[in-house]
Amino acid sequence: MLYPLLRELLFAFPPEDVHYFSMNMLRLLCRSDAGAALVRRQFAWRDHSLAKDFWGLRFRNPVGLAAGFDKNALYLAELDALGFGFVEIGTVTPKPQPGNEKPRLFRLPDDKALINRMGFNNDGVERVRERLALWNSKRRDQNSKLVVGGNIGKNKATPNEDAWKDYHTGFTRLFEEVDYFVVNVSSPNTPGLRELQEKDALTKILSELQNNNQGRTKPKPLLLKIAPDLTQGQLDDIIALANEVKLSGLVAANTTISREGLSEKSRRMSDDIGAGGLSGRPLRERATRVVEYISHNTGGKIPIIASGGIFTGADAAEKMQAGASLVQVWTGFVYEGPSIVKNICRQLSA
């Protein structure tokens, strides 16, 4: 009830600054055992009937946090306390990079949307690996049930013909620290990255990763995150390749370069903002159509993590009815606040 008022205050400040301020305040609250317990009592939803089993992993509920929110694995304990079933860190690149110039994150509040052109800003795979190792030692002690995925990408300076090397580095360096992997070739904010969604380039990347993966004693689930802007032919290629290289699943979908569905005011704001990926409410129907198409054309045999325009339990149920196994929020978390997991899970339970 209080969050809409707090949101009005927070929205008076730059989005990226608010992101770190809010999460650091949550970290401060969770620093003590009593504070963390208070957060769990207030925001975590407990219903064992919502648990999901995929890829040998048990998700305590189907609501996850999409990559891009906790890029550097800084807030896993806090997100665990909020009750997320899983959190996807990253996108992580081999070398640290600052990302694009600020401002690079923008609100379109009339449409409950965001535009971002972050550009894979992250601390690099070695720093992130160290934080994940520390988290894993703590979560074993605390018996945490949070599933953690690693979203991996390429550095901006790496030419596309060498992109597979960057993905290989991210995969091997994080292998012992994450529960599953997502290959990100669909962000619109790294020049040329989406070209890697073409079949030949993608085959090279995924085949190299799976060769490495299958040579290990216990392979990790490997998923691919795709754009919502793919043509039917491109989606067919993705499905064929997913079967060919035996992907564990698909994440549908990333942000869109389209501005379809925006109100007139938001469209004018978007014109002023310029390039970037659009997320939030306007993406909901487009993302659901992609999920539905993949599910229908695979006979539901490829698990899908759905992302795009999920704010409520009804939104999550829509994605699941379209064929998704799990869902992820990001923009919805910004607009709905820390109760989003609890609210979605309550509605799904009902």
Side-chain angles (χ1 to χ4, degrees), residues 168 171-172 175 207-216:
H168 180 268
F171 183 82
T172 54
F175 189 87
S207 296
E208 290 286 345
L209 293 181
Q210 281 293 52
N211 286 339
N212 184 304
N213 197 24
Q214 297 304 321
R216 295 175 181 265

Side-chain angles (χ1 to χ4, degrees), residues 253-275:
N254 213 321
T255 58
T256 178
I257 57 175
S258 169
R259 299 298 185 256
E260 181 183 342
L262 290 179
S263 64
E264 185 177 344
K265 180 180 178 181
S266 293
R267 189 175 292 276
R268 288 197 303 269
M269 293 174 67
S270 171
D271 290 341
D272 292 336
I273 290 166

Side-chain angles (χ1 to χ4, degrees), residues 13-304:
F13 297 93
E16 199 167 347
D17 293 344
V18 168
H19 169 78
Y20 288 109
F21 172 79
S22 301
M23 293 308 297
N24 287 335
M25 289 301 100
L26 181 61
R27 173 189 279 174
L28 186 63
L29 180 58
C30 290
R31 183 166 293 175
S32 69
D33 291 341
L38 176 65
V39 172
R40 288 192 185 92
R41 282 198 300 272
Q42 180 66 33
F43 297 111
W45 181 259
R46 294 174 178 81
D47 182 350
H48 296 304
S49 71
L50 292 180
K52 302 280 186 179
D53 293 298
F54 290 101
W55 315 303
L57 300 172
R58 186 162 184 82
F59 298 79
R60 62 186 171 197
N61 66 61
V63 184
L65 183 61
F69 194 95
D70 189 10
K71 291 174 176 288
N72 294 305
L74 290 168
Y75 303 112
L76 290 173
E78 293 74 29
L79 296 167
D80 187 15
L82 289 179
F84 282 98
F86 61 109
V87 171
E88 201 171 296
I89 59 97
T91 298
V92 182
T93 57
K95 298 176 183 178
Q97 60 182 28
N100 295 322
E101 285 188 27
K102 298 179 181 180
R104 54 194 180 184
L105 181 62
F106 309 87
R107 306 182 190 98
L108 301 177
D110 282 12
D111 288 328
K112 287 192 172 181
L114 297 173
I115 291 176
N116 92 82
R117 49 171 177 266
M118 304 299 288
F120 285 178
N121 56 304
N122 73 105
D123 292 340
V125 71
E126 294 305 325
R127 289 286 301 280
V128 172
R129 184 182 66 82
E130 291 170 4
R131 292 192 189 111
L132 287 168
L134 181 61
W135 157 253
N136 283 325
S137 66
K138 288 181 177 179
R139 76 168 170 174
R140 280 189 288 270
D141 293 339
Q142 298 169 358
N143 197 30
S144 169
K145 305 299 183 185
L146 182 69
V147 173
V148 177
N151 187 297
I152 54 176
K154 82 171 189 74
N155 282 110
K156 183 177 180 179
T158 303
N160 276 2
E161 58 267 26
D162 292 330
W164 68 272
K165 298 176 183 178
D166 279 12
Y167 289 97
H168 180 268
T169 298
F171 183 82
T172 54
R173 297 304 294 156
L174 296 181
F175 189 87
E176 299 298 332
E177 309 301 342
V178 299
D179 299 308
Y180 70 91
F181 282 95
V182 175
V183 174
N184 187 356
V185 291
S186 53
S187 169
N189 301 316
T190 296
L193 185 76
R194 285 191 169 194
E195 295 171 10
L196 297 177
Q197 291 180 113
E198 297 299 331
K199 191 171 185 180
D200 290 345
L202 199 51
T203 300
K204 172 68 174 175
I205 294 169
L206 296 178
S207 296
E208 290 286 345
L209 293 181
Q210 281 293 52
N211 286 339
N212 184 304
N213 197 24
Q214 297 304 321
R216 295 175 181 265
T217 304
K218 190 175 180 182
K220 292 285 172 75
L222 181 66
L223 292 81
L224 173 68
K225 187 167 189 174
I226 62 174
D229 308 309
L230 297 176
T231 65
Q232 183 174 313
Q234 289 172 318
L235 284 174
D236 290 338
D237 284 345
I238 294 288
I239 291 169
L241 183 57
N243 287 319
E244 181 182 331
V245 301
K246 296 180 171 55
L247 285 181
S248 302
L250 295 169
V251 182
N254 213 321
T255 58
T256 178
I257 57 175
S258 169
R259 299 298 185 256
E260 181 183 342
L262 290 179
S263 64
E264 185 177 344
K265 180 180 178 181
S266 293
R267 189 175 292 276
R268 288 197 303 269
M269 293 174 67
S270 171
D271 290 341
D272 292 336
I273 290 166
L278 175 71
S279 61
R281 276 285 183 210
L283 184 57
R284 181 179 63 83
E285 290 185 14
R286 177 186 291 258
T288 301
R289 288 198 301 269
V290 172
V291 170
E292 195 169 41
Y293 185 86
I294 294 169
S295 180
H296 176 75
N297 286 277
T298 62
K301 293 180 180 178
I302 297 180
I304 302 168

